[in-house]
Amino acid sequence: MQPPYLAKDALDIGLFTNDLEPMLAFWQQEVGLTFDHMLPLGGGVRQHRHDHQGGVFKLNHSRPPLPKAAGGGLLRLIIARDDITEITTKIDPDGNQVTLVPPGTQGIHHWAIEVAANSEEEFLAFYHTALGLPLDGGDHTAVQVGRSQIIARIDPMLAVQTNSETMARKGYRYTTLQVQKVDPVHAAILAAGGTEGQPPKTLGETARISFVRDGLGNWME
């Protein structure tokens, strides 16, 4: 059962880049994501939002140079598409890995993000216990976010501490849960063992956001 705080039945994915045009071409033409609109974020960053069956792929283009991608962290995006008949792995111009799969592969019918973890216990402490996300069909190395999944890759060699002080780095940098009320959800996650990334704040007239981090420093909006 999904936690009642969720306002949408899909996970969003955030990525940063300095090279807009080749990245747009790859994610739209090679991966098949649909461009929706561009959202200025300030500080020389523009978010190019793409749709995948209700999930948002946030391609954040930064004019200021970004630091290199941190080790470990968010490893791979796995996307299920109806027109895909065999598993195909691609690498985008920045070196990010994405795998296209037929629907149902590993139980994936929407998309899934693969996260490095030292152990099953470490992964579950944040994604299952602190966030309250249900296990994916009893699999203790995956949780469900509506139609999406977060999958652990248990590998201490990959699960190095990410640079938790700087979210804006090249590569997959954060995931997003759309929630009903940010402040109580943020407080509940911290009380359950999550780490604060940024406290709740209001953007414009409609959006209120915050960030929390898992045990390795990976960011979640």
Side-chain angles (χ1 to χ4, degrees):
M1 182 176 179
Q2 294 294 317
Y5 65 72
L6 283 182
K8 187 175 75 170
D9 68 343
L11 184 72
D12 298 340
I13 308 295
L15 176 150
F16 280 86
T17 185
N18 284 132
D19 299 313
L20 179 61
E21 294 306 325
M23 290 288 278
L24 285 177
F26 176 86
W27 287 97
Q28 293 174 10
Q29 299 169 22
E30 295 289 322
V31 178
L33 300 183
T34 302
F35 177 73
D36 187 71
H37 67 282
M38 186 276 289
L39 179 67
L41 299 183
V45 178
R46 292 182 172 182
Q47 185 175 97
H48 297 259
R49 296 168 66 90
H50 294 72
D51 176 72
H52 175 63
Q53 300 173 14
V56 180
F57 181 78
K58 302 175 179 181
L59 180 57
N60 298 294
H61 173 239
S62 172
R63 288 199 304 271
L66 293 164
K68 293 180 180 179
L74 308 181
L75 301 175
R76 177 173 61 137
L77 184 59
I78 307 169
I79 302 177
R81 269 183 21 193
D82 291 336
D83 61 336
I84 296 295
T85 57
E86 63 178 300
I87 298 172
T88 304
T89 294
K90 299 175 179 286
I91 305 295
D92 78 6
D94 279 0
N96 303 299
Q97 188 177 99
V98 56
T99 300
L100 306 178
V101 301
T105 303
Q106 292 182 272
I108 300 168
H109 292 274
H110 182 247
W111 63 17
I113 189 74
E114 190 176 54
V115 182
N118 281 301
S119 66
E120 179 182 299
E121 291 75 18
E122 176 188 81
F123 174 77
L124 294 178
F126 179 75
Y127 292 98
H128 180 53
T129 302
L131 296 181
L133 297 172
L135 299 178
D136 180 26
D139 184 349
H140 285 197
T141 57
V143 294
Q144 292 180 301
V145 185
R147 293 172 292 121
S148 311
Q149 285 121 314
I150 301 171
I151 300 174
R153 189 194 299 183
I154 310 300
D155 188 340
M157 296 295 291
L158 291 173
V160 296
Q161 188 77 18
T162 63
N163 187 322
S164 58
E165 300 305 317
T166 306
M167 186 178 70
R169 300 175 74 96
K170 291 182 180 180
Y172 299 122
R173 291 302 292 157
Y174 65 101
T175 52
T176 301
L177 300 180
Q178 194 172 109
V179 305
Q180 301 284 354
K181 295 183 178 180
V182 167
D183 295 73
V185 173
H186 183 90
I189 292 171
L190 298 187
T195 300
E196 185 163 79
Q198 292 180 8
K201 65 179 181 180
T202 300
L203 299 179
E205 298 181 355
T206 58
R208 188 160 175 80
I209 70 167
S210 73
F211 286 89
V212 293
R213 292 182 282 124
D214 69 10
L216 291 176
N218 295 305
W219 295 73
M220 175 174 276
E221 182 183 12

